[in-house]
Amino acid sequence: MHKRTILVVDDEPIARDNLAHIIAKDGHAVRLAANGQEAVAFLRKEEVDLVLTDLRMQGVDGMAVLEEAKRLWPAAEVVMITGHASVDTAVEAMRKGAYHYVAKPFKINELRAIVDKALEKSLLRREIQTLREQVDAGKGTGRIVGQSPKMQALRETINQVSQLDCNVLVQGETGTGKELVARTIHELSPRARKRFVAFNCGVFTEELIASELFGYERGAFTGAGKAKKGLLETAAGGTVFFDEVGELPLSMQVKLLRVLQERTLIRVGGTEEIAVDFRVLAATNKDLKREAEAGTFRSDLYYRLDVLTINVPSLAERKDDIPLLVRHFLAKHVRPGRTVPQLSPEAERRLMFYDYPGNIRELENIAQRMLIACDGELIEARHIAAAFGDSDGVAVREQRQDWPTLEEHEKRYILEVLDEVEGNRSAAVKILGIDRVSLWRKIKRYGLEHPDS
């Protein structure tokens, strides 16, 4: 587990040292405070991932430490520890933002399980906070989500290419985010203050392509009551992005090539050459070099566009980014006021096995469907199945015939949790995120009676 910082607060030295010993054995960085005042002073200087604090202390008590920790470091979690357990204080601590409440004397394994889950939630909060900042930033490579080596290399390439005022060909499968790459290049370039004009070459007829790109003069055709600038003129000083450039008709390829060579255009129905200044970014899911060799795409235009090439990896090439991407989309699409749900380990594992032929676009759609299927704070395997449009995960399992059934996974996961908490069902339901009755039914169903339960 990644080393995290935990502040232990207790005015009883023996209790404080025992807690510190348990936490340190798990590899975490431990900080100590002998009372609430010391804890508050520490929190005002240094961030932590988790606070383990006694509730009853002279002067500044655990509730005050909780409030100050959540005020200063919203991503940090707080676990209350007390020898004076009561429902009222537990509810009050939870209401003020405590992650959990542990009564002395506690079982070491139970405490460890709670600490691990609290740290997991703290990490998730930080990831969501980072993702929201990326969404709010609205531009730059921060919008390109992913920490895999391929994505780090892609961001580095974008930063370098953006400063070169040359044509760039962006290649990649459908749904990989080629337009986002192009927009990011523009936003980081010296042309960023000018317009970014996107044009999809695959959705217009040849006649409409000409009038949209080059504009037209008054009377050029029926309905042309006045002259109109084309997209290439309106992009003066900026960037033009040709999406699906491989779909451009051959006759239009000739006209575009001339514009790129001469840096002038003639409007439809006009005779005057008009100077234009724009950078060209083009995207395709085709192998344009092969298309050029086959004669279905002009080789001279290909070499004009392909001054530099950026290859955007498919989702299959960067599967380690799937959990981060899913959390990004959940944070992006969750309705206002609703907590962003977490991914259960099983849900995360299942998402990793699907091939995603639609790439990022498909993954975003699935994340939105998961939000609809899940009405709580934890996305489970059944919500994944619902997002894929089937009740038992068949659509996903077809790609992995060796997958155990959903029931087998659930049985194994419950058994692991029960073993971890030594059969303590109260601790198990908190980790599993279900109520005691549901856990009892599943134990009976799967024959999981634990010897210590």
Side-chain angles (χ1 to χ4, degrees), residues 91-333:
V91 171
E92 179 67 9
M94 297 291 186
R95 188 183 67 79
K96 291 186 176 181
Y99 173 75
H100 216 295
Y101 189 90
V102 179
K104 299 176 184 176
F106 51 79
K107 291 183 179 180
I108 292 177
N109 285 344
E110 179 182 356
L111 176 67
R112 281 179 167 151
I114 291 171
V115 166
D116 287 346
K117 297 297 289 184
L119 289 173
E120 192 176 295
K121 188 172 182 181
S122 173
L123 178 61
L124 180 63
R125 284 181 185 274
R126 294 182 195 283
E127 287 182 351
I128 291 172
Q129 181 179 342
T130 300
L131 292 170
R132 287 194 184 280
E133 289 172 356
Q134 291 174 351
V135 171
D136 293 341
K139 67 177 186 177
T141 56
R143 288 192 303 172
I144 299 177
V145 178
Q147 294 300 323
S148 63
K150 283 185 179 289
M151 295 308 291
Q152 292 180 29
L154 177 62
R155 279 194 288 269
E156 184 177 344
T157 300
I158 289 172
N159 281 321
Q160 293 171 348
V161 168
S162 63
Q163 303 307 308
L164 306 175
D165 198 32
C166 62
N167 299 339
V168 179
L169 183 62
V170 183
Q171 297 187 133
E173 295 178 7
T174 298
T176 50
K178 296 186 292 296
E179 182 171 346
L180 176 59
V181 169
R183 286 185 180 275
T184 304
I185 291 172
H186 169 73
E187 290 167 355
L188 295 175
S189 76
R191 294 179 178 266
R193 294 184 179 276
K194 301 295 183 178
R195 289 189 63 183
F196 175 90
V197 176
F199 181 79
N200 191 316
C201 301
V203 299
F204 293 99
T205 63
E206 187 171 336
E207 294 75 16
L208 284 175
I209 290 175
S211 60
E212 286 292 315
L213 289 180
F214 307 132
Y216 52 82
E217 298 290 354
R218 179 181 179 183
F221 50 82
T222 303
K226 61 180 181 179
K228 179 186 175 182
K229 290 183 178 181
L231 294 178
L232 301 185
E233 277 189 79
T234 63
T239 302
V240 178
F241 172 58
F242 292 99
D243 197 8
E244 297 184 31
V245 70
E247 304 297 327
L248 200 64
L250 283 169
S251 58
M252 288 307 303
Q253 292 178 30
V254 175
K255 295 178 181 178
L256 178 59
L257 176 63
R258 182 185 179 281
V259 172
L260 298 184
Q261 288 175 335
E262 305 298 329
R263 291 293 170 175
T264 63
L265 61 80
I266 300 176
R267 293 177 184 168
V268 175
T271 56
E272 180 184 352
E273 288 192 341
I274 301 170
V276 288
D277 171 32
F278 54 83
R279 182 185 191 178
V280 172
L281 306 177
T284 180
N285 58 7
K286 295 183 175 182
D287 186 337
L288 278 196
K289 185 176 182 180
R290 184 174 296 176
E291 297 277 327
E293 292 171 350
T296 54
F297 194 87
R298 290 187 63 96
S299 58
D300 46 7
L301 178 57
Y302 165 69
Y303 288 113
R304 178 69 64 171
L305 295 173
D306 188 34
V307 177
L308 287 171
T309 300
I310 291 180
N311 292 301
V312 184
S314 66
L315 197 51
E317 298 176 88
R318 45 178 296 216
K319 283 203 165 185
D320 287 348
D321 287 329
I322 288 174
L324 186 60
L325 283 162
V326 170
R327 291 180 182 119
H328 167 76
F329 292 133
L330 292 176
K332 176 181 176 182
H333 293 292

